[in-house]
């Protein structure tokens, strides 16, 4: 009787369809074991082999993966079959043999790039993405010095209708990263390919201007676009004009997320805290007053905690939704107009500082508010649209006149030839400039509600909060729940970042299922640190993590860590505003929302 | 409602035993003949039959495609087995008077080509002699809108056999053994494809009929659906049973109005008789079919693009793997088959796999339907056994090149295919032989080209199509097909350079290697194939900025001066009775001299 050998037994098991947890692949004659389900690109990384990619985007901690495999830049050769396969999407099969640099593969990849470049404007020198462009980087690394295919080029109209995002389809390489962010991460779904073949472009339904669609201006499309097809609407020229106008008193405020990211534009690692240098640079640029948006954040907490407690004690409406994220405000106005009694009526910190700069600051310093111009530096492109909202003005005076992104400010500093790295540290103005640790964490998911909790705790219990760090509120998961007990009452807190998670929260509120009392929503993955106006992360999630850690460090390093401890805020109420939540506070620091109908 | 296989067989017997008419007039009512007013013929016949009180004796049957489209409108009179061609409205009365009433054949309506014998029936027509109609078996025989006709000719008998005597694995075995390969162009072994979907575990599976037939000039699938829709429904049901699917879809291009209409009618009739729906023929097997219309995109003939179109997304392909047999419609296992592939299934079940294996070659079993067109005498729809040579199709079936011209090339496979020249005419029609000759079977387009054809213009024509139809998703197809087309334009606009040829070939190879789906991967084929066989024409455009000109064979020229007289650019020199010469640098290759020459002395190198 024939006894099967051990080897043939294994074969039998294999043919029975048993799944292995690891798979063997040979790339460029290097054999390695990789996890089952890995792509050829994953395996190549493991083996230290570099394969160029373009449309590929892998932020899987944020569930943002673009794997459309359509740019055809990452092609490698499958030795066994002799065909070219996209390494970003090809799943490793046991025994696969791949060669990344055969003539066929190299020429194939190169042709894809040459074709893309043949249909791309050659205005790198004046393009907003010059030196920060994925397409440029690839073309350079592939040493492309000649484009052999000349012919017709795309000619689509540019959409600059929104004042926040500019869409230039002529610079588009059709990578579809923007669609992945808009459809899958944000579930807003404003962008889609239109028409077909050479005439294809990424655009909106019926070719509507972005401002007529349900685009929330979250800017995540901008943050992942490999070229300048999607970019922020530039406001720097306006800011220069104001700075150079002797009749204008131009003041500036900086958001928390800006100071832990702008260093990246000057060679520092992500998460470098550059507050001192930033203030120094702003003064050298010519700003007459330098304020801290974090002051506004503390103020927001004081007002919002008050509003929350009022609702808590007067039977609703609950939950209270924090409202400093303008993209999320756009989202709720368009998609959940039936829930508009739920957001806090507080303005965003940006708008509060803006509004006070033209009233409190103007009064205190004896400056005619008509001459004051307020510039906000934000990690966000949606803030540009927020500043233009009808509701955020006081008569003829806008709360905020211009918003520039972290990137735009970095460019201004370079333009002014300021040696950022060697600037001595400077500090904010004595008015609208102080901040507590609580306001630092506004820039990360969970931060706003944690700051609210710190103040609410002390107001309700009358006791001092010893441990200010609410670990249960922190984290990077898209949808989180936590609870806090205030005087025996459990407060249920919901935290969401990315609009797809916001949608889930809002659906549960609408359906009545939700038992939440306090909700924080941030549209951007990770919160403002990952905003559409920040220095590009080029797909590296560590950049976001480091910025977040820096904000928590800023919180820890501050002696005062609760918003209501802010001395300048106390002075503001004493000398100018009066009661918390009082009439004047309402006039200057609160706003309203309305249903907006869009496609 | 047929509640058992027995009931079906009884119904068939009952139909067969019905009293037959004295005469049956079968009139082709396919789109081609209808566009030549076959509907008027049908109306007039109906009227005349009634006028002459022949209603009890003569039945009028509109049918599917007879195949000999170039001779349409066609009608056949049975049991006399007489075929009349190019029948006009004026001929109706004559036929009724002469043939129906007086029993005399109307001579002038018979097929009577110059230089050939006149024939009264298909048997006498060279066009039909080498054909073997399997997929088209019932086209031209039955009224496609009358289920009883189909039943009479054994429709649903294969289904009954499968449901009542076979396991799903048995069915897959038979199809595998038959050697049937996908007729949509891919040529993938059908049985194997069915097996993949069958073995994937899932709660729900689907089968899909790819009726998007996008190749310009192709009408094989259209004719099958117009002429014999029940065969498709039956085959899909058998497919569903074999792979474990209870729901089928027919994805048909919206431009095929008549086929769609006939399919809807067939679906309705099949459901009424319990041949679709729950507990088919009492077997316990449920299966139904839904029709989905395309929206005018060639790319939706690609199976993943087709699936996404059905799902309501943009009709764009996605990378394979995963294949539809694993992740298909609604991410569930899906088996997509072409119309003609399906049309073979019932015959294979009824006649057996051995029978199917006996037709064709070692690796290409069965028959293939071709749309024979171009510069050929006999134009139409032909079905031939695999293994027949291209020469037999062009010369014996097609009647050779039309007019006084010579054969230059035969284009096979539509915009994804290539050309073969006169040197390769004896190639057998077989998936592998055609592939090794640099051509491909494709879905069945076969276009004959005479020596007046400008091969660079042909390549440009195909690229105009593929560039327009590209979905735009991947870089090489979106931009590459455009650039290829631009180079071809430059060449034919007399603005080309020698570098353009190098660029063209390199770009074509790269687009072929790097495109995401079959459309881009095969779009360069017409260019590569014509560049290979007709390099001189490309070189004349690129190096000399002229079309490849004619020249005169000195051995044949008799100096009659006729060519010189008709040349529009005056580039022929020579006096009476001396050998004439064409100035090739001035020749515009219009072909006028070729038409005028009485001794065939004009040649195109």
């Amino acid at each position: 009787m024939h006894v099967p050998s051990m080897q043939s037994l294994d074969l039998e098991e294999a043919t029975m369809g048993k799944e292995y947890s690891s798979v063997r692949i040979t790339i460029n004659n290097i054999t390695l074991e990789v996890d089952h389900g890995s792509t050829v690109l994953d395996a190549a990384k493991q083996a230290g082999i570099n394969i160029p990619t373009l449309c590929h985007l892998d932020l899987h901690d944020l569930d943002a993966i673009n794997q459309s495999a359509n740019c055809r830049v990452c092609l490698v050769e499958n030795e066994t079959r002799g065909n070219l396969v996209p390494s970003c999407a090809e799943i490793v099969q046991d025994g696969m043999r791949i060669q990344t640099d055969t003539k066929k593969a190299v020429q194939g990849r190169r042709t894809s790039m040459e074709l893309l470049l043949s249909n791309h404007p050659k205005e790198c020198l004046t393009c907003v993405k010059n030196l920060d462009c994925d397409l440029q980087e690839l073309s350079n690394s592939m040493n492309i010095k000649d484009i052999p295919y000349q012919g017709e080029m795309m000619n689509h109209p540019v959409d600059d209708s929104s004042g926040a995002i500019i869409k230039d389809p002529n610079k588009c390489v059709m990578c579809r990263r923007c669609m992945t962010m808009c459809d899958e991460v944000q579930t807003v779904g404003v962008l889609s390919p239109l028409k077909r073949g050479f005439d294809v472009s990424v655009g909106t339904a019926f070719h509507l201007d972005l401002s007529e669609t349900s685009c929330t201006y979250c800017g995540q499309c901008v943050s992942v676009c490999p070229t300048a097809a999607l970019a922020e609407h530039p406001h720097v020229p306006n800011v220069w004009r104001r700075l150079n106008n002797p009749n204008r008193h131009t003041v500036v405020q900086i958001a928390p997320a800006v100071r832990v990211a702008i260093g990246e534009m000057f060679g520092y690692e992500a998460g470098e805290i550059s507050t001192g240098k930033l203030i120094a640079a702003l003064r050298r640029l010519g700003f007459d007053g330098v304020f801290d948006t974090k002051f506004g954040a503390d103020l927001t907490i004081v007002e919002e905690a008050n509003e929350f407690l009022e609702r808590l004690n007067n039977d609703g409406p609950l939950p209270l939704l924090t409202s400093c994220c303008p993209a999320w405000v756009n989202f709720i106005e368009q998609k959940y107009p039936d829930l508009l009694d739920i957001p806090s009526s507080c303005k965003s910190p940006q708008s509060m500082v803006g509004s006070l700069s033209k009233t409190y600051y103007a009064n205190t310093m004896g400056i005619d508010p008509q001459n004051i111009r307020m510039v906000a530096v934000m990690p966000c492109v949606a803030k540009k649209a927020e500043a233009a909202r009808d509701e955020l003005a006081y008569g003829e005076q806008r709360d905020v006149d211009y918003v520039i992104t972290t990137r735009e400010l970095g460019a201004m500093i370079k333009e002014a030839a300021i040696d950022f790295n060697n600037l001595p540290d400077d500090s904010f103005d004595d008015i609208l400039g102080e901040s507590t640790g609580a306001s630092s964490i506004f820039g990360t998911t969970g931060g706003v509600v944690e700051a609210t909790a710190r103040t609410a705790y002390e107001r309700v219990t009358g006791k001092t909060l010893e441990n200010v760090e609410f670990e249960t509120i922190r984290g990077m998961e898209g949808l989180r729940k936590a609870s806090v007990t205030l005087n025996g009452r459990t407060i249920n807190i919901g935290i969401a970042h990315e609009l797809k998670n916001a949608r889930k929260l809002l659906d549960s509120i609408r359906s009545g299922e939700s038992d939440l009392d306090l909700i924080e929503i941030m549209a951007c993955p990770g919160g403002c640190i990952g905003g559409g106006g920040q220095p590009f992360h080029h797909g590296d999630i560590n950049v976001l993590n480091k910025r977040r850690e820096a904000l928590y460090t800023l919180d820890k390093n501050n002696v005062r860590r609760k918003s209501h401890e802010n001395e300048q805020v106390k002075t503001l109420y004493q000398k100018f505003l009066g009661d918390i939540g009082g009439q004047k506070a309402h006039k200057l620091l609160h706003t309203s929302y309305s249903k907006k109908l869009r496609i | 409602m047929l509640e058992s296989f027995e009931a079906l067989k009884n119904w068939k017997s009952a139909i067969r035993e019905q009293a037959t008419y004295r005469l049956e007039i079968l009139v082709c009512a396919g789109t081609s003949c209808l566009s030549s007013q076959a509907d008027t013929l049908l109306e007039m016949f109906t009227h005349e039959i009634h006028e002459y009180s022949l209603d009890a004796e003569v039945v009028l049957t509109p049918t599917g495609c007879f195949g000999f489209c170039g001779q349409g409108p066609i009608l056949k009179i049975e049991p006399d087995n007489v075929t009349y061609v190019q029948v006009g409205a004026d001929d109706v009365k004559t036929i009724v008077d002469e043939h129906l009433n007086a029993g005399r054949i109307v001579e002038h309506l018979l097929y009577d080509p110059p230089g050939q014998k006149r024939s009264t029936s298909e048997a006498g027509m060279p066009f039909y002699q080498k054909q073997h109609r399997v997929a088209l078996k019932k086209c031209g025989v039955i009224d496609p809108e009358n289920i009883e006709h189909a039943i009479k000719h054994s429709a649903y008998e294969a289904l009954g056999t499968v449901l009542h005597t076979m396991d799903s694995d048995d069915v897959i075995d038979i199809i595998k053994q038959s050697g049937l390969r996908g007729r949509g162009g891919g040529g993938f072994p059908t049985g194997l494809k069915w097996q993949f979907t069958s073995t994937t575990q899932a709660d729900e599976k689907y089968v899909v009929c790819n009726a998007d037939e996008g190749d310009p000039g192709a009408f094989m699938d259209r004719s099958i659906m117009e002429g014999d829709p029940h065969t498709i429904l039956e085959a899909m049901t058998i497919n569903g049973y074999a792979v474990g699917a209870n729901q089928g879809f027919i994805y048909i291009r919206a431009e095929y109005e008549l086929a769609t209409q006939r399919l809807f009618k067939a679906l309705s009739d099949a459901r009424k008789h319990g041949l679709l729906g729950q507990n088919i023929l009492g077997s316990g097997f449920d299966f139904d079919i839904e029709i989905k219309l395309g929206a005018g995109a060639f790319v939706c003939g690609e199976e993943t693009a087709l699936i996404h179109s059905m799902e309501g997304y943009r009709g764009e392909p996605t990378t394979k793997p995963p294949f539809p047999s694993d992740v298909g419609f609604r991410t569930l296992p899906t088996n997509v088959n072409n119309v003609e592939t399906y049309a073979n299934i019932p015959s294979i079940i009824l006649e057996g796999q051995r029978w199917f294996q006996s037709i064709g070659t070692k690796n290409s079993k069965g028959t293939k339907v071709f749309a024979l067109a171009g510069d050929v005498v006999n134009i139409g729809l032909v079905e031939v056994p695999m293994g027949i040579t291209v020469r037999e199709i062009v010369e014996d079936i097609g009647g050779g090149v039309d007019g006084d011209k010579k054969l230059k090339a035969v284009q096979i496979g539509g915009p994804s295919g290539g050309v073969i020249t006169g040197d390769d005419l004896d190639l057998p029609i077989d998936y592998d032989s055609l592939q090794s000759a640099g051509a491909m079977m494709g879905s069945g387009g076969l276009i004959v080209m005479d020596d007046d054809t400008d091969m660079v213009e042909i390549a440009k024509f195909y690229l105009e199509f593929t560039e327009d139809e590209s979905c735009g998703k991947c870089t090489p197809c979106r931009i590459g097909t455009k650039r290829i087309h631009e180079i071809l334009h430059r060449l034919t606009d007399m603005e080309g350079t020698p570098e353009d040829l190098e660029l063209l070939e390199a770009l074509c190879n790269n687009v072929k290697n790097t495109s995401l789906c079959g459309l881009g991967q095969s779009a360069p084929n017409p260019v590569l194939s014509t560049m290979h066989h007709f390099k001189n024409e490309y070189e004349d455009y690129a190096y000399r900025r002229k079309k490849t000109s004619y020249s005169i064979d000195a051995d044949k020229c008799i100096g009659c001066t006729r060519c010189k007289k008709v040349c529009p650019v005056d580039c022929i020199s020579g006096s009476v009775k001396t050998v004439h010469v064409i100035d090739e640098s001035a020749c515009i290759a219009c072909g006028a001299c070729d038409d005028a020459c009485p001794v065939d002395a004009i040649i195109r190198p």
Side-chain angles (χ1 to χ4, degrees), chain B residues 412-582:
Chain B
I412 310 182
S416 328
V419 298
I420 60 173
T421 60
D423 295 337
D424 283 323
L425 273 193
D426 293 305
L427 262 179
I429 291 288
D430 168 291
Y431 287 101
D432 308 311
S433 320
L434 287 175
Q435 189 108 31
S436 11
M440 72 182 263
M441 178 82 68
S443 59
L446 204 152
I447 303 184
V448 178
M449 296 172 177
D450 69 25
D451 57 356
D452 274 346
T453 313
D454 182 327
M455 300 312 284
V456 183
E457 289 280 352
I458 290 291
K460 193 174 78 173
F461 164 79
Y462 279 120
L463 256 301
E464 189 183 331
F465 178 76
T466 40
E467 185 209 318
D468 187 50
E469 294 290 338
S470 166
C471 75
K473 181 171 172 180
C474 77
T475 307
C477 184
R478 177 177 77 248
I479 309 177
T481 53
K482 179 135 198 115
R483 297 285 176 249
I484 293 173
H485 191 207
E486 283 171 343
I487 297 175
L488 291 169
H489 249 293
R490 267 209 302 280
L491 290 172
T492 54
D493 283 348
M494 308 304 182
E495 288 169 6
T497 64
E499 288 74 43
D500 280 333
L501 289 190
E502 267 180 58
L503 211 57
L504 183 60
E505 189 165 359
L507 184 55
C508 282
N509 280 317
N510 277 307
V511 169
K512 202 175 153 68
N513 293 338
T514 61
S515 290
L516 194 153
C517 87
L519 192 157
Q521 287 159 7
S522 61
N525 286 347
V527 183
L528 289 170
S529 176
T530 49
M531 273 187 96
H532 175 70
H533 290 290
F534 301 98
K535 195 64 179 276
N536 58 314
E537 293 190 38
Y538 280 89
E539 285 176 350
D540 276 336
Y541 274 119
Y543 286 80
R544 292 173 274 281
R545 298 208 171 155
K546 60 187 266 303
K547 285 162 85 82
T548 300
S549 58
Y550 285 89
S551 60
I552 297 174
D553 184 346
D555 294 330
K556 289 188 178 172
C557 177
I558 56 171
C560 71
T561 78
R562 272 191 229 178
C563 58
K564 183 172 166 182
K565 292 192 177 110
V566 300
C567 177
V569 297
D570 240 342
C571 73
I572 305 181
S573 53
S575 48
V576 177
K577 299 253 171 80
T578 67
V579 167
H580 282 47
V581 176
I582 293 175

Side-chain angles (χ1 to χ4, degrees), chain B residues 237-259:
Chain B
T237 314
I238 293 173
N239 188 191
Y241 180 77
V243 305
N246 301 102
Q247 176 68 46
F249 295 96
I250 300 176
Y251 184 88
I252 181 169
R253 56 182 300 182
E255 297 92 330
Y256 279 359
E257 260 185 59
L258 182 59

